Amino acid sequence: PHPLVGVVGPDVGRHADAVAQFREALRLDAEQVRWRRLLASSLAKLGRTRDAERELRDVLALDPTNTKAWEVLHSLGIRY
């Protein structure tokens, strides 16, 4: 699948599909902050909070000023 296909998944509520596609895309480019953050958002929507937190921490390790990642973390009740 094309790496950007996952971007469509969350927009139409297909979070499980988006997770699979983002994981594949990140296998090809692990430092893609936007894809990792969107992966985390889809994981959170699926109730996979710990997985989402791990991905968000990876985002913040790459980009500590990523406000969207901070917002998702805080929405999950996680302080970092």
Side-chain angles (χ1 to χ4, degrees), residues 10-59:
D11 291 341
V12 295
R14 294 176 40 205
H15 298 288
D17 292 339
V19 166
Q21 292 172 12
F22 283 127
R23 289 218 186 274
E24 177 64 22
L26 287 165
R27 198 175 61 73
L28 302 173
D29 185 357
E31 293 187 13
Q32 255 296 339
V33 173
R34 180 171 182 259
W35 295 345
R36 193 168 297 281
R37 181 182 45 77
L38 290 170
L39 167 61
S41 293
S42 285
L43 288 166
K45 297 244 194 274
L46 291 169
R48 295 173 55 187
T49 306
R50 287 182 190 227
D51 293 331
E53 179 182 3
R54 184 179 60 246
E55 296 299 337
L56 290 166
R57 289 182 189 271
D58 288 348
V59 167

